[in-house]
Amino acid sequence: METALRPRWPQPMAWAAELLFALLYVLLDWASYLRPLVEGFNITPWNPQQALAVAFLVRRPSRAWVVFAAVGAAEVLVRGWPVDSLAPWAAAGALSLTFLAVARALGPEREDATLFDTRATLVRFAVAVTAGALAAAIGYVTILSSAEGSLGSSVGARILSYWVGDAVGLLVTLPLLLAAMNAAGRARLLETLGHPTMWLAAAFTCGGLWLVFGRGEQDYFKFFYVLMLPVAWCSVRFGVAGAVLSANLTQVGLIVAVQGTMQRDLTVFELQALMAASGVTALLLGVLVDERARAEAEARKSLRFSAAGQLAAGLAHELGQPLTAMNNYGEACRLLVDRQPEQREQLVAAMGRMLDEAGRAAQVARRLRDFFTNGAITIEVTDLGPLLDAAVREQQRAAGRAGVQLECAIDASLPPVWIDAVQIAVVVRNLLANAIEAAGAGEAPRVVALQATVHDAELHVAVLDSGAGVPAARLQVLFDAAHSAKSSGMGVGLSICRSIVEAHGGRLWAAPGPGGRFIFTLPVGNT
Ligand code: ADP
């Protein structure tokens, strides 16, 4: 069954691709058949052509007969089996069927996935190819050994060697082919290849190969671990793409070095078993690194969302006051026009205040947006006295409505401070509004007092009220967004106030009662 995920090729191109595959298969078989363990058997340390066959079947599962023809042709052309004997074709049948089973076990090719995206897919891959390679080894070696009449005690060793060579080919080469087959995988491989670190790792691998094989020593295992270092390094640095590229580089280097130095013996297979283990370890590391990178990206995205949510809630909170004021002034204007059309002056004054409130709302929105998007504050030398006076005046009417007396005690010798006046005004307004509300809900006498003093190079502004105060258990959580006790409020006022004060190098806290006690400091610098 063709996978429905990719468009079919036009017929001539499909044939050309199949022919190209068969040629490449025979060519790779010939190239890797340099040092067979048993003459006439394809038992070599590395069988990359097997990976090519599985990759081909992942994409074109209905073309198993092409693989069958290519494998049979390789047996005849590379290993000289007579074309009219049954053995090479029976072996080709066994191999192509196992390759097909492995391809099916890997699942349909996915356009969007760059290879293994989770540990589960990697484990499935490793199990499928190791079991597939074992099945291929048993089928291939038994068929050819019985055809040759040498089905004896050496069959077990032959199967083991074939299995190792085949499994290494699949475990190391197949991930590279699968990645190169889809556009996203290709892009990642090319991007990784373009990185200088990869080339540094390649140079390190060459150095490692020289250390293992170049010094004429026979104990090749002594320094093999050196070859694992660049593979692990690339996997940690570049994820699966780095793992796949560096494992293949090491594999090719290993085969070239082995061809140049070694006698035909089993040591090569033992080296290959090590290679297979380090290849799988590298893939596992790569998958873990990719998984972590994905999780970090997700976390960043959700953080951005929650910051945006906080900003939106903050804006809604801060704009509530001026919008209500504008609404009231608008109502007043309408009444004046309806009932007393001659009171032009009052009308102009109310509309002026409406415009002032609209300007203030726009300024608050802009400054808060700047503050929350890039932490920007527009600092200028400011006299805090007039700013505090203005904030108290603004709240006079609300205090009157709540039956609260508003007092103001500002130290006359307050030094000027470097602040973003709009943002600090937001803080003071918030504290005053909360205090008036709390005092209004409490017992008489209902009082709110704003005090500003200087202590040890710090300016202290305290907003005190005669309300119920804040229970000790809530003193800390009060400043977390979403901890409002009021059903109508957003609960972000105090958390925004604290962010603003801290951005100015100050502190904001709630002190234990009696009554409400909110205090913030601002550093007094050189002005
Ligand atoms: P909001 O006013 O929208 O609820 P705030 O962050 O300004 O958000 O306030 C959070 C909570 O802190 C309020 O719901 C209230 O319970 C408590 N609070 C704030 N100021 C005072 C105060 N002066 N006295 C008692 N409780 C207060």
Side-chain angles (χ1 to χ4, degrees):
M1 185 192 70
E2 284 290 346
T3 158
L5 294 174
R6 59 175 51 248
R8 272 167 171 274
W9 283 347
Q11 208 52 298
M13 265 182 78
W15 285 337
E18 283 156 18
L19 193 66
L20 185 70
F21 156 75
L23 282 175
L24 260 178
Y25 184 95
V26 177
L27 201 72
L28 269 179
D29 191 333
W30 170 79
S32 62
Y33 186 62
L34 289 173
R35 217 176 261 274
L37 186 75
V38 184
E39 219 43 73
F41 281 56
N42 186 23
I43 302 181
T44 62
W46 182 37
N47 293 334
Q49 72 280 14
Q50 320 271 31
L52 186 70
V54 175
F56 175 82
L57 288 171
V58 165
R59 177 162 293 187
R60 308 181 74 74
S62 63
R63 293 295 192 273
W65 65 266
V66 178
V67 175
F68 168 77
V71 178
E75 291 304 318
V76 171
L77 294 172
V78 180
R79 277 169 290 283
W81 284 88
V83 71
D84 54 354
S85 101
L86 183 65
W89 301 105
L95 285 188
S96 41
L97 280 179
T98 23
F99 296 159
L100 185 63
V102 173
R104 298 306 286 262
L106 294 182
E109 189 188 354
R110 279 169 46 204
E111 273 293 282
D112 56 329
T114 39
L115 216 45
F116 315 108
D117 31 18
T118 60
R119 268 165 283 173
T121 45
L122 173 62
V123 169
R124 197 172 73 176
F125 166 83
V127 169
V129 301
T130 321
L134 181 61
I138 294 172
Y140 181 86
V141 172
T142 343
I143 290 171
L144 291 190
S145 297
S146 49
E148 208 189 31
S150 60
L151 205 57
S153 56
S154 62
V155 165
R158 288 180 186 182
I159 289 179
L160 184 68
S161 303
Y162 187 94
W163 184 27
V164 171
D166 214 358
V168 174
L170 290 173
L171 285 172
V172 176
T173 317
L174 186 54
L176 179 67
L177 294 178
L178 291 177
M181 263 164 41
N182 79 44
R186 258 196 313 279
R188 259 195 80 186
L189 288 178
L190 286 176
E191 189 195 320
T192 310
L193 262 183
H195 215 282
T197 311
M198 274 311 290
W199 296 96
L200 207 63
F204 196 96
T205 304
C206 293
L209 284 168
W210 177 83
L211 201 67
V212 176
F213 297 104
R215 298 164 319 118
E217 285 192 23
Q218 286 306 301
D219 188 3
Y220 299 109
F221 295 102
K222 204 161 108 191
F223 287 114
F224 190 85
Y225 67 89
V226 176
L227 290 174
M228 295 181 179
L229 288 179
V231 178
W233 179 20
C234 293
S235 314
V236 170
R237 178 76 178 74
F238 300 108
V240 171
V244 164
L245 284 171
S246 58
N248 275 278
L249 174 75
T250 312
Q251 176 63 61
V252 172
L254 206 62
I255 290 301
V256 170
V258 161
Q259 296 298 345
T261 51
M262 260 193 173
Q263 295 305 310
R264 181 194 309 161
D265 60 20
L266 267 178
T267 317
V268 181
F269 289 92
E270 286 157 20
L271 280 179
Q272 284 295 72
L274 266 180
M275 184 62 222
S278 76
V280 173
T281 313
L283 281 176
L284 191 58
L285 268 179
V287 169
L288 284 177
V289 168
D290 283 357
E291 275 183 344
R292 204 186 68 178
R294 269 198 306 277
E296 276 172 5
E298 282 296 315
R300 269 200 299 277
K301 206 162 88 186
S302 63
L303 260 181
R304 263 205 306 278
F305 270 128
S306 84
Q310 256 205 11
L311 171 61
L315 283 179
H317 186 275
E318 285 310 322
L319 295 183
Q321 274 191 29
L323 287 176
T324 311
M326 278 163 64
N327 202 30
N328 292 342
Y329 289 128
E331 282 296 329
C333 290
R334 211 174 53 198
L335 284 177
L336 287 171
V337 172
D338 280 352
R339 297 195 196 146
Q340 293 138 326
E342 70 282 1
Q343 285 180 316
R344 188 179 170 280
E345 250 173 55
Q346 273 178 289
L347 198 63
V348 169
M351 286 168 71
R353 281 195 287 274
M354 208 157 83
L355 288 175
D356 286 349
E357 291 292 339
R360 186 158 76 86
Q363 203 182 23
V364 167
R366 202 175 48 248
R367 291 281 182 92
L368 282 184
R369 195 194 54 215
D370 289 352
F371 178 63
F372 276 95
T373 45
N374 51 23
I377 48 180
T378 311
I379 287 214
E380 57 213 342
V381 183
T382 312
D383 268 331
L384 208 59
L387 185 151
L388 296 176
D389 272 337
V392 169
R393 263 198 319 277
E394 270 171 32
Q395 300 291 335
Q396 250 349 321
R397 202 189 290 240
R401 274 199 305 268
V404 172
Q405 192 189 335
L406 206 51
E407 292 171 359
C408 191
I410 299 172
D411 199 330
S413 60
L414 286 188
V417 277
W418 285 97
I419 54 168
D420 185 321
V422 172
Q423 291 185 4
I424 293 297
V426 164
V427 175
V428 179
R429 247 192 337 264
N430 243 296
L431 298 182
L432 282 174
N434 281 347
I436 290 168
E437 198 174 337
E443 309 262 305
R446 302 183 180 88
V447 187
V448 167
L450 182 139
Q451 301 169 348
T453 46
V454 187
H455 280 294
D456 304 333
E458 265 187 342
L459 221 138
H460 282 227
V461 179
V463 179
L464 316 173
D465 67 77
S466 60
V470 181
R474 290 194 73 222
L475 283 175
Q476 289 306 319
V477 294
L478 219 53
F479 296 90
D480 296 343
H483 262 99
S484 174
K486 293 176 231 155
S487 52
S488 58
M490 296 264 196
V492 293
L494 286 176
S495 78
I496 287 185
C497 291
R498 182 173 263 183
S499 310
I500 291 176
V501 169
E502 286 177 355
H504 282 78
R507 287 164 290 132
L508 166 63
W509 71 96
R517 300 164 66 82
F518 286 78
I519 300 142
F520 74 88
T521 67
L522 291 171
V524 178
N526 296 330
T527 49

